Amino acid sequence: MDIEQFRKAGYQAIDRICDYYYSLQQSKFPVVSEVEPGYLKPLLPSAAPEVGEDIQVIADDYQKFIVPGYTHWQHPSFFAYFPAGFSFEGLLGDLYASSVSNPGFNWIASPSCTELETIVLDWAAQMFGLGPAFFNSSGKGGACFQNTASEAALVAIIAARSAFTSKFPDAKMEQLVIYTTTQTHSLGVKAAMILGLSVVALEVKREDNFSLRGATLRATLEEDKQKGLKPFILIATVGTTSSGAVDNLAEIKEIVRDYPELKVHVDAAWAGMSLVCPEYRDKCYLNEINEIADSFCTNFHKWGLTNFDASPLWVRDRSYLTDALDFTPPFLRTAQGDAGTVIDYRNWHLGLGRRYRSVKLWFVLRGYGIEGFQKNIRKTIALNERFVEHVSSSSLFKLVAPPSLALSVFRLEPKPTSEQIPEQSLNSLNELFYGRITARKEILLTQTVLDGSFCIRFAVGSPRTCEEHVDKAFEILTHEATLALEAWKQTVTSI
Amino acid sequence: MDIEQFRKAGYQAIDRICDYYYSLQQSKFPVVSEVEPGYLKPLLPSAAPEVGEDIQVIADDYQKFIVPGYTHWQHPSFFAYFPAGFSFEGLLGDLYASSVSNPGFNWIASPSCTELETIVLDWAAQMFGLGPAFFNSSGKGGACFQNTASEAALVAIIAARSAFTSKFPDAKMEQLVIYTTTQTHSLGVKAAMILGLSVVALEVKREDNFSLRGATLRATLEEDKQKGLKPFILIATVGTTSSGAVDNLAEIKEIVRDYPELKVHVDAAWAGMSLVCPEYRDKCYLNEINEIADSFCTNFHKWGLTNFDASPLWVRDRSYLTDALDFTPPFLRTAQGDAGTVIDYRNWHLGLGRRYRSVKLWFVLRGYGIEGFQKNIRKTIALNERFVEHVSSSSLFKLVAPPSLALSVFRLEPKPTSEQIPEQSLNSLNELFYGRITARKEILLTQTVLDGSFCIRFAVGSPRTCEEHVDKAFEILTHEATLALEAWKQTVTSI
């Protein structure tokens, strides 16, 4: 394809993306794809073509075969998982970045890639109220993009293990322990699997809203010390995936003071974006993050209006990362790196090559401004509050945990009447209910289990979601709940 | 920004990308940026704006402040590192993919993302001549994108370690050893640092063209067995970064037969693309890869015309990955995953979220066809052969290793005349020479060290590079070599 053919195909791509977003706004298609597993294989040839094909044919096939197989994360009725960030500003920034296809591992691999990342992540740190210790401009701490929050946590764990074993070279791998809670994202267990280390999931309780308490941490630390174990990092969560729980960093702060070897990584992958609003900083323990977090991660590609991927990791001390990850062979040496005058980000993460993501975030931060970010957070939290009102005024549903920011966890649990449903039956009823919801393609919600209770998550966050979509979703939930309840009663009666 | 504002800004972005590629074709600017470390900070505000800004201002600032700080990897005179893939087809595919901002971790997260990846990587496997055991359609083996070849190797090592410790649960972490060679990319040492494991770099010799020989592998295995060590994986390289060396997989095959516990990962990040041409399959040991590799990686984002990132990892047995990496919390369970009818790619790599990359590769494979891929490989190898002819016919330079595909490693070493330069002085002379080259912004080459010799790499691969650019580069090298030689002689005389 020559440059003029690209211009034509590029305009068309822009037009088709515009069409796609008009269709989304008008909910012209359901959020969930209608396709069945294996749908695509019979539609495509079994091998790459021998001779190149015309871009128009390829672009048309994309519309015909690929688009129908999407789950539309930008759909206004997407309430599953957590939202996937998107904005036109981000898309344009990504387009410009992709157009130079730069692996950006060294400063010299493209000076502006590295320098824009240091600047734009300082903007973000400031916007969230992170202390200057975390700024790249501090020369000591700093931030860079990782691929995902899971990898950010993995990197933090590797750095903490390296710091620990440097200080205690006699510590055996078998003694090292990662602390998470029973509500921590799978990233904790997965990191332990990857590193061949042990993980201890600290107990959290329903009455504490699934938040880690200081007393639990202290008791476990003391117990593990007795056993000869060496806990070297705590993965604390601000906004768990299941229920949006926030570990009690105020209490944790008091404990970690007595255990200076225990590093603290704060995973705020989703909820961290709310730090842009002063009114949510206490809930998210901003002060404590600034006091005790060795590392902190929040994803712009979730609630932060930025296309996947944009997952920065901040550290208080960049040598925490480079001590664990810097190895420089001769073919990667550069005059600027040798002189120590530049950051070579490849030593801050797992891989060598890295995507060029800063221009995308720069476009988003400038296009929205701090005010635009705040507006987006406040709007989605208000939509969740609207959903909570619906749930509270309904006789069918009950919240399983207090709503957290833009997330609610609920289940079908009719208000006690003459015909009360025994606690042990509620799970099967809700599984039946959730099965009915997943069969409806026009809304998407995901399931979870809290303290043994099967329940359903409602996470708002697509910028296109409005009150009408929340109301419509609740209407569908009510309808399906009623039918599930009837079906369930019939099953019970027939037994 | 609303949809119509995006359309306008999108057209402009396409136009500006066209302008950029016209400028590159005409070498309107040098390959290396003129900026100095820290150039960007004084040019940008110190914080994100309070209120959103107009996209036109942002896009103009991008041209004004960011573009001048690029190292232009797509420039026809880029001969550094390895080429970074790019094509308009890839850029368009990436644009469509970014427009749906999909984290693609589960089948249901978007059926087409997963299904297209399984199909397109089978196309690629077929195109390279990989055996059907590696195909996703085999139901047993398969492939998925990792973030980089370094991460692909890391994943392979984790899988191998997991397989080994499952079989030998009494093996201590301290006994486990990763095998690389002294010429393996830093990814080997870095993986060991990440995992807290030991690495043994097997010796390779100049007379073997820096290729790992079977005898060395066998001797090291026997020696390490004596020491009680447990080598569990060999990272073999097809096309090392320093010199394009290819480990002798024909000999290695004979050895690993006797050591079934030793897994083999073949890293062909750069050279693997040449497998598309039948005439390079023997050099790259395709048959042996098909016989003994447990995993195999090659990067489309290097020599494969595809924008960063596109780094697939093939495995002979997908449970090799999932046994090591699958952990499924309740909130990630899906009906299709539970039924086992789909692939959930999140269990094949380190992170949870993943970029949607298959559409990009699909566009590139279809746009170029197998023929187009072959043409690109053959053209760049021919350009390197042209460079080699220049070197061979010059009295100034000498190849330090045999040219490998599109890579040559050489140094300034004037043909013996009356005034011969002592061997021990050649390194300082070449450092002086390389210093002069790096001061020239219109070409970019990188340095390396081979068997103690400081030398310079010449790697061809930008699709825009033509004979005239190779000739021009050689002219500059000759000019700077002459000046370096004069300067060096003066220094020597003055001592």
Side-chain angles (χ1 to χ4, degrees):
Chain A
M1 192 187 321
D2 67 22
I3 296 179
E4 291 310 317
Q5 286 168 321
F6 165 70
R7 194 191 307 273
K8 201 178 141 213
Y11 285 177
Q12 186 185 62
I14 298 291
D15 285 340
R16 288 185 169 181
I17 293 167
C18 290
D19 291 348
Y20 178 73
Y21 277 88
Y22 277 122
S23 302
L24 278 180
Q25 268 185 0
Q26 297 153 11
S27 299
K28 277 199 182 166
F29 41 74
V31 56
V32 183
S33 167
E34 309 270 358
V35 303
E36 293 295 324
Y39 89 99
L40 191 56
K41 206 175 165 190
L43 301 175
L44 300 187
S46 61
E50 266 306 315
V51 181
E53 296 175 83
D54 192 89
I55 186 67
Q56 191 58 56
V57 179
I58 307 171
D60 288 347
D61 280 357
Y62 170 79
Q63 299 296 130
K64 207 156 112 195
F65 300 129
I66 309 304
V67 177
Y70 283 142
T71 298
H72 302 284
W73 287 66
Q74 306 312 319
H75 195 288
S77 298
F78 183 95
F79 304 109
Y81 305 105
F82 281 130
F86 178 84
S87 61
F88 290 126
E89 287 81 355
L91 184 60
L92 289 168
D94 216 21
L95 174 59
Y96 280 114
S98 296
S99 76
V100 294
S101 198
N102 191 303
F105 44 82
N106 279 347
W107 180 84
I108 193 66
S110 262
S112 47
C113 295
T114 296
E115 298 203 7
L116 186 60
E117 187 159 332
T118 65
I119 292 167
V120 86
L121 292 182
D122 277 4
W123 285 15
Q126 246 183 299
M127 182 171 99
F128 294 139
L130 290 177
F134 288 109
F135 291 18
N136 284 302
S137 61
S138 71
K140 187 165 188 260
C144 86
F145 284 111
Q146 306 287 334
N147 294 309
T148 61
S150 317
E151 284 195 38
L154 177 59
V155 164
I157 293 168
I158 291 162
R161 187 207 55 202
S162 173
F164 191 90
T165 54
S166 294
K167 201 164 173 190
F168 305 100
D170 295 336
K172 298 236 176 312
M173 295 278 269
E174 289 77 5
Q175 296 177 298
L176 301 183
V177 176
I178 301 162
Y179 274 7
T180 65
T181 80
T182 52
Q183 287 298 307
T184 305
H185 192 278
S186 54
L187 58 80
V189 175
K190 192 158 174 176
M193 290 168 74
I194 288 167
L195 299 175
L197 296 176
S198 301
V199 63
V200 168
L202 281 73
E203 277 305 317
V204 293
K205 295 186 191 124
R206 193 189 280 235
E207 63 256 35
D208 294 326
N209 301 331
F210 305 103
S211 154
L212 176 63
R213 302 294 304 266
T216 310
L217 175 60
R218 188 183 293 280
T220 316
L221 278 163
E222 284 169 8
E223 216 171 280
D224 284 346
K225 206 175 157 187
Q226 295 291 325
K227 292 186 199 158
L229 296 176
K230 313 279 185 197
F232 67 95
I233 190 167
L234 167 68
I235 309 293
T237 309
V238 168
T240 60
T241 303
S242 260
S243 70
V246 178
D247 290 333
N248 191 324
L249 288 172
E251 293 180 1
I252 291 168
K253 184 179 84 177
E254 302 303 320
I255 318 299
V256 297
R257 262 198 201 127
D258 300 336
Y259 292 84
E261 269 73 66
L262 187 77
K263 300 283 183 189
V264 178
H265 173 69
V266 176
D267 172 31
W270 161 68
M273 284 296 135
S274 71
L275 289 171
V276 72
C277 300
E279 67 270 31
Y280 297 115
R281 291 182 173 178
D282 283 349
K283 177 188 163 75
C284 293
Y285 293 105
L286 175 65
N287 290 338
E288 288 75 11
I289 290 168
N290 281 325
E291 279 182 69
I292 62 161
D294 294 288
S295 53
F296 172 78
C297 172
T298 185
N299 283 345
F300 279 94
H301 67 239
K302 283 198 170 73
W303 203 3
L305 300 162
T306 310
N307 316 41
F308 192 86
D309 57 329
S311 182
L313 173 69
W314 279 271
V315 291
R316 196 178 287 283
D317 183 350
R318 58 183 71 173
S319 70
Y320 186 49
L321 301 178
T322 54
D323 285 354
L325 297 168
D326 182 357
F327 176 74
T328 304
F331 56 79
L332 288 179
R333 284 183 60 186
T334 65
Q336 300 82 6
D338 289 352
T341 50
V342 296
I343 288 177
D344 285 340
Y345 269 136
R346 69 185 162 81
N347 300 319
W348 294 42
H349 52 71
L350 301 178
L352 171 63
R354 62 201 314 268
R355 286 238 310 144
Y356 173 29
R357 290 166 283 214
S358 51
V359 66
K360 172 168 74 177
L361 184 56
W362 189 51
F363 272 48
V364 177
L365 288 177
R366 292 188 62 180
Y368 280 80
I370 295 171
E371 203 181 74
F373 265 77
Q374 290 173 333
K375 215 168 133 185
N376 179 55
I377 297 293
R378 287 176 184 141
K379 180 193 145 195
T380 43
I381 292 178
L383 287 174
N384 184 45
E385 281 163 2
R386 187 177 181 92
F387 180 77
V388 169
E389 275 166 34
H390 285 316
V391 168
S392 308
S393 61
S394 152
S395 60
L396 283 170
F397 303 113
K398 199 180 154 183
L399 292 172
V400 185
S404 177
L405 302 165
L407 173 68
S408 294
V409 187
F410 68 101
R411 65 173 174 172
L412 169 52
E413 185 178 337
K415 291 234 157 42
T417 58
S418 52
E419 30 160 17
Q420 199 173 338
I421 300 166
E423 175 65 29
Q424 59 270 34
S425 303
L426 279 170
N427 274 0
S428 53
L429 171 61
N430 274 279
E431 282 174 35
L432 184 71
F433 170 45
Y434 183 68
R436 295 195 66 93
I437 301 171
T438 51
R440 296 286 296 251
K441 304 293 183 189
E442 67 268 56
I443 54 168
L444 186 62
L445 291 84
T446 38
Q447 64 181 41
T448 194
V449 174
L450 279 177
D451 195 24
S453 300
F454 182 96
C455 39
I456 299 162
R457 299 168 70 262
F458 183 87
V460 203
S462 158
R464 273 152 297 280
T465 305
C466 301
E467 293 187 348
E468 62 182 276
H469 304 107
V470 172
D471 296 351
K472 177 77 189 156
F474 190 75
E475 202 182 298
I476 294 173
L477 292 171
T478 305
H479 178 73
E480 294 300 337
T482 311
L483 293 178
L485 207 51
E486 274 169 28
W488 181 81
K489 277 179 195 161
Q490 279 180 3
T491 328
V492 174
T493 318
S494 70
I495 291 172
Chain B
M1 191 189 318
D2 67 23
I3 296 179
E4 290 310 318
Q5 286 168 321
F6 165 70
R7 194 191 307 271
K8 202 178 142 211
Y11 284 177
Q12 186 185 61
I14 298 292
D15 286 339
R16 289 184 170 182
I17 293 168
C18 290
D19 292 346
Y20 178 73
Y21 277 89
Y22 277 122
S23 303
L24 278 179
Q25 267 185 359
Q26 298 154 9
S27 299
K28 277 200 182 165
F29 41 73
V31 57
V32 183
S33 167
E34 310 268 359
V35 304
E36 293 294 324
Y39 88 99
L40 191 57
K41 208 177 164 188
L43 301 175
L44 300 186
S46 61
E50 266 307 314
V51 182
E53 297 175 83
D54 191 89
I55 186 67
Q56 192 58 56
V57 179
I58 306 171
D60 289 347
D61 280 356
Y62 170 78
Q63 299 295 130
K64 206 156 115 194
F65 300 129
I66 308 305
V67 177
Y70 283 141
T71 298
H72 302 285
W73 287 65
Q74 306 311 320
H75 196 287
S77 297
F78 183 95
F79 304 108
Y81 304 105
F82 281 130
F86 178 84
S87 61
F88 290 126
E89 287 81 355
L91 184 60
L92 289 168
D94 216 20
L95 174 59
Y96 281 115
S98 296
S99 77
V100 294
S101 197
N102 191 303
F105 44 82
N106 278 348
W107 180 85
I108 193 64
S110 260
S112 47
C113 296
T114 295
E115 298 203 6
L116 187 58
E117 187 159 332
T118 64
I119 292 167
V120 86
L121 292 181
D122 278 3
W123 285 15
Q126 246 183 299
M127 180 171 100
F128 294 139
L130 289 177
F134 288 109
F135 291 18
N136 284 304
S137 61
S138 72
K140 187 164 188 257
C144 87
F145 285 112
Q146 305 288 333
N147 294 309
T148 61
S150 319
E151 283 194 39
L154 177 59
V155 165
I157 294 169
I158 291 162
R161 187 207 55 203
S162 172
F164 190 89
T165 55
S166 293
K167 201 164 173 188
F168 305 100
D170 295 336
K172 297 237 176 311
M173 295 279 269
E174 290 78 4
Q175 296 177 297
L176 301 182
V177 177
I178 302 163
Y179 275 6
T180 65
T181 81
T182 53
Q183 288 297 308
T184 306
H185 192 277
S186 55
L187 58 80
V189 175
K190 192 158 174 176
M193 289 168 74
I194 288 167
L195 299 175
L197 296 175
S198 301
V199 63
V200 168
L202 281 74
E203 275 307 316
V204 293
K205 295 187 190 125
R206 193 189 281 234
E207 63 257 35
D208 295 326
N209 300 332
F210 305 102
S211 154
L212 176 63
R213 301 295 303 267
T216 310
L217 175 60
R218 188 182 290 280
T220 315
L221 278 163
E222 284 168 8
E223 215 171 280
D224 283 346
K225 206 175 156 186
Q226 294 293 324
K227 291 185 197 158
L229 297 177
K230 313 277 185 200
F232 67 96
I233 190 167
L234 167 69
I235 309 293
T237 310
V238 168
T240 60
T241 304
S242 260
S243 70
V246 178
D247 290 333
N248 192 323
L249 288 172
E251 292 181 3
I252 291 168
K253 185 180 81 177
E254 300 305 320
I255 318 300
V256 297
R257 263 198 201 127
D258 301 336
Y259 291 85
E261 269 73 68
L262 188 76
K263 301 283 182 187
V264 178
H265 173 68
V266 177
D267 172 32
W270 162 67
M273 284 296 134
S274 71
L275 290 170
V276 74
C277 300
E279 66 269 33
Y280 299 115
R281 289 182 174 179
D282 284 348
K283 177 190 161 77
C284 293
Y285 294 104
L286 175 65
N287 289 339
E288 288 76 10
I289 290 169
N290 280 327
E291 279 182 70
I292 62 162
D294 295 287
S295 53
F296 172 79
C297 172
T298 186
N299 283 344
F300 280 93
H301 67 238
K302 282 196 171 73
W303 203 3
L305 299 162
T306 310
N307 317 40
F308 192 87
D309 56 332
S311 183
L313 173 69
W314 279 271
V315 290
R316 196 178 287 283
D317 183 350
R318 59 183 72 172
S319 71
Y320 187 49
L321 300 177
T322 53
D323 284 354
L325 297 167
D326 183 356
F327 178 74
T328 303
F331 55 80
L332 289 178
R333 285 185 59 187
T334 65
Q336 300 82 5
D338 288 352
T341 50
V342 296
I343 287 178
D344 286 340
Y345 268 138
R346 69 186 163 80
N347 301 319
W348 294 41
H349 52 70
L350 301 178
L352 172 62
R354 59 199 317 266
R355 285 239 309 144
Y356 174 30
R357 289 165 286 213
S358 50
V359 66
K360 172 169 74 178
L361 184 56
W362 189 52
F363 272 48
V364 177
L365 289 176
R366 292 188 63 180
Y368 280 80
I370 295 172
E371 203 181 73
F373 265 79
Q374 291 173 332
K375 213 168 136 185
N376 179 55
I377 296 294
R378 288 174 183 143
K379 182 194 144 194
T380 44
I381 292 178
L383 287 174
N384 185 45
E385 281 163 1
R386 187 178 180 92
F387 180 76
V388 168
E389 276 166 33
H390 286 316
V391 168
S392 307
S393 61
S394 152
S395 60
L396 282 171
F397 302 113
K398 199 180 154 183
L399 292 172
V400 185
S404 177
L405 302 166
L407 172 69
S408 294
V409 187
F410 69 101
R411 64 174 174 171
L412 169 52
E413 186 178 335
K415 293 234 155 41
T417 58
S418 52
E419 32 160 15
Q420 200 175 338
I421 299 166
E423 173 64 31
Q424 61 270 32
S425 302
L426 280 170
N427 273 0
S428 54
L429 171 61
N430 274 279
E431 282 176 36
L432 184 70
F433 170 46
Y434 184 68
R436 295 194 68 94
I437 302 170
T438 50
R440 298 283 299 251
K441 305 293 183 191
E442 67 269 56
I443 54 169
L444 186 62
L445 291 84
T446 38
Q447 64 181 38
T448 194
V449 174
L450 279 177
D451 195 24
S453 299
F454 182 96
C455 39
I456 299 163
R457 297 169 71 262
F458 183 87
V460 204
S462 158
R464 273 151 297 279
T465 304
C466 300
E467 294 187 347
E468 62 181 276
H469 305 107
V470 172
D471 297 349
K472 177 76 189 160
F474 190 74
E475 200 183 297
I476 294 174
L477 292 171
T478 305
H479 179 73
E480 294 300 336
T482 312
L483 294 178
L485 207 50
E486 274 169 28
W488 181 80
K489 278 180 193 161
Q490 278 180 5
T491 328
V492 174
T493 319
S494 70
I495 289 170

